[in-house]
């Protein structure tokens, strides 16, 4: 299959690309679309054949459920029920964070194929803020299943070029909307009633931080998914986000002793000498997440992009510096831990 890359850099190309995407989606095909987090591989969420095509292109095992995108809070009703006990909380969260990178787990409606939810009775619902994605949704008027547009277990794509490398030849269309503004996947949250605030269980840390969510609920540490375990939420699989090159996440600069004859690349946070990592060995390549001065949002935008670049550098091992364990650093550290598993 030939994969077409469609552009959105002029108002005409944008219009034409959206039309092409909508035509394909209406015909039950899959299309890679930009979102604010990472590129998604979209298909009509209520069309079993389209959903099957997503799994096939990604080589994704059927036990790993898909996130469903809706246009806004009102459209949740097309795919999920909102229990009365958390209706107010869902309203608060969607008012604050939608459109944006927050995914909510809700009881699924029957119309949603079991394939989408891996047979489960809940569905993950999200509302993207990306203007191109929103244009497609507005024109299509259907919910879209859209997991990250990479092969299963591989690094999430944050550019159209990365999608082409992952899925070129397998899908008919990639809409190029430029680099993703967040660069990390959505935060997945399960809400249970609580007084005065609901309990929010974070099933996957992501672009919305714990600090932001704290205002809207009690972050449930008791039920939080333990690091590295693989419960029902399979984004939690150990090998997720893995480069092909072995990756080692350091605890400290002192914990690294280079092996003679081996080649290394460094994923550095700030790229500063005084952090103690640059001089550890003669790194073949150094990628700096936040050359700006140690800003986590800057690091997040560049995170998967640089990980991909280092993976292609042909070294024996990628060495990753630890990142601050707050804000967006939590999501990046979780991904680095999994990549090093
Ligand atoms: P991706 O869109 O590729 O980032 O993957 C979607 C992830 O969302 C899955 O790997 C699961 O971890 C999570 N997910 C999707 N549906 C559910 C659900 N019903 N319950 C819990 N987690 C879910
Ligand atoms: Mg994914």
């Amino acid at each position: 299959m030939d994969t077409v890359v469609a552009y959105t850099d002029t108002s005409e190309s944008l219009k034409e690309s959206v039309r092409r995407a909508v035509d394909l989606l209406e015909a039950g095909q899959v299309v890679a679309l930009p979102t604010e987090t990472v590129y998604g591989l979209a298909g009509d969420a209520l069309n079993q054949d389209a959903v099957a095509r997503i799994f096939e292109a990604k080589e994704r095992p059927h036990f790993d459920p898909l996130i469903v995108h809706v246009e806004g809070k009102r459209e949740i009703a097309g795919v999920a029920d909102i229990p009365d006990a958390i209706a107010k909380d869902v309203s608060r969260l969607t008012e604050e964070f939608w459109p944006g990178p927050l995914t909510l787990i809700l009881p699924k409606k029957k119309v949603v194929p079991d394939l989408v939810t891996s047979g489960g009775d809940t569905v993950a619902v999200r509302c993207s803020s990306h203007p191109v994605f929103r244009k497609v949704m507005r024109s299509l008027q259907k919910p879209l299943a859209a997991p990250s547009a990479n092969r299963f277990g591989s690094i999430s794509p944050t550019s159209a070029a990365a999608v082409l490398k992952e899925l070129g030849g397998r899908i008919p269309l990639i809409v190029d909307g430029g680099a993703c503004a967040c660069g990390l996947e959505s935060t997945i949250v399960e809400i249970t009633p609580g007084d005065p605030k609901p309990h929010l269980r974070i099933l996957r840390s992501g672009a919305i931080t714990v600090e932001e969510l704290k205002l809207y609920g009690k972050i449930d540490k008791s039920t939080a998914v333990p690091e590295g375990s693989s419960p029902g939420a399979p984004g939690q699989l150990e090998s997720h986000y893995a480069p092909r090159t072995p990756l080692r996440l350091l605890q400290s600069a002192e914990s690294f002793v280079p092996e003679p004859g081996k080649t290394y690349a460094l994923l550095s946070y700030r790229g500063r000498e005084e952090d103690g990592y640059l001089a550890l060995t003669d790194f073949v390549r150094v990628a700096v997440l936040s050359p700006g001065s140690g800003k986590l949002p800057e690091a997040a935008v560049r995170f998967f992009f640089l990980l991909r670049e280092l993976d292609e550098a042909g070294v024996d091992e990628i060495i990753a510096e630890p990142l601050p364990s707050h804000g967006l650093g939590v999501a990046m550290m979780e991904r680095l831990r999994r990549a090093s598993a």
Side-chain angles (χ1 to χ4, degrees):
M1 181 189 298
D2 279 339
T3 301
V4 173
V5 179
Y7 297 94
T8 59
D9 51 341
T10 62
S11 57
E12 294 84 53
S13 64
L14 171 61
K15 223 166 142 188
E16 171 61 14
S17 298
V18 168
R19 191 192 57 74
R20 267 179 119 142
V22 170
D23 285 351
L24 284 164
L25 291 165
E26 262 166 357
Q29 295 297 324
V30 295
V31 175
L33 296 174
T35 83
E36 72 278 28
T37 60
V38 304
Y39 274 73
L41 182 60
D44 178 348
L46 305 185
N47 176 341
Q48 176 117 356
D49 294 337
V51 175
R53 286 197 176 95
I54 294 176
F55 278 95
E56 195 185 315
K58 280 181 60 84
E59 292 174 47
R60 184 174 177 116
H62 286 175
F63 59 75
D64 196 2
L66 305 181
I67 292 174
V68 173
H69 288 249
V70 293
E71 226 191 304
K73 195 202 158 212
R74 222 176 319 133
E75 287 74 19
I76 291 177
V79 294
D81 294 312
I82 302 176
D84 289 341
I86 57 165
K88 240 197 214 136
D89 309 311
V90 169
S91 288
R92 281 205 192 103
L93 286 165
T94 53
E95 257 155 47
E96 177 62 25
F97 297 107
W98 280 18
L102 181 71
T103 297
L104 302 175
I105 303 296
L106 294 167
K108 98 173 184 71
K109 282 235 161 88
K110 266 217 185 80
V111 286
V112 179
D114 283 335
L115 194 51
V116 171
T117 62
S118 302
D121 49 16
T122 60
V123 60
V125 187
R126 190 188 142 191
C127 171
S128 172
S129 65
H130 197 288
V132 174
F133 199 98
R134 295 190 69 71
K135 274 204 166 62
V136 170
M137 291 226 66
R138 205 167 311 133
S139 168
L140 187 69
Q141 292 292 310
K142 281 177 185 169
L144 283 176
S148 53
N150 52 278
R151 295 193 203 177
F152 180 70
S154 159
I155 300 171
S156 296
T158 51
S159 68
V163 179
L164 193 62
K165 272 193 191 137
E166 290 284 329
L167 302 177
R170 298 176 174 213
I171 60 173
L173 181 68
I174 300 169
V175 179
D176 188 340
C180 300
C182 298
L184 296 174
E185 294 90 343
S186 63
T187 302
I188 305 180
V189 168
E190 191 180 75
I191 310 161
T192 47
D195 197 22
K197 281 183 181 176
H199 296 270
L200 303 178
R201 181 180 172 219
I202 298 176
L203 298 181
R204 175 178 73 187
S205 60
I208 301 289
T209 64
V210 170
E211 289 87 343
E212 289 172 281
L213 283 171
K214 254 205 255 178
L215 303 169
Y216 298 88
K218 198 170 173 302
I219 307 300
D220 221 325
K221 293 246 163 58
S222 60
T223 53
V225 180
E227 288 300 348
S229 72
S230 53
Q236 310 297 331
L237 290 176
E238 282 286 326
S239 65
H240 240 67
Y241 317 108
R244 277 177 294 271
T245 311
L247 182 144
R248 193 181 341 170
L249 173 60
L250 299 186
Q251 307 268 1
S252 64
E254 297 72 50
S255 59
F256 177 71
V257 184
E259 276 175 52
K262 253 181 115 171
T263 55
Y264 298 96
L266 178 70
L267 183 65
S268 175
Y269 179 39
R270 308 189 299 173
R272 290 194 191 159
E273 293 289 349
E274 64 262 37
D275 292 340
Y277 294 90
L278 292 180
L280 285 176
T281 185
D282 195 4
F283 289 108
V284 172
R285 189 87 143 252
V286 175
V288 181
L289 285 166
S290 175
S293 64
K295 293 280 196 308
L296 289 165
E298 180 183 36
V301 172
R302 295 158 61 81
F303 184 72
F304 283 127
F305 188 83
L306 292 182
L307 209 49
R308 206 167 260 285
E309 187 179 294
L310 292 186
D311 197 16
E312 287 163 9
V315 294
D316 293 321
E317 196 174 7
I318 298 168
I319 301 300
E321 286 182 26
L323 294 162
S325 55
H326 58 80
L328 291 168
V330 175
M332 284 183 275
M333 281 296 275
E334 185 189 293
R335 281 150 185 76
L336 287 174
R337 254 180 237 119
R338 288 182 204 288
S340 67

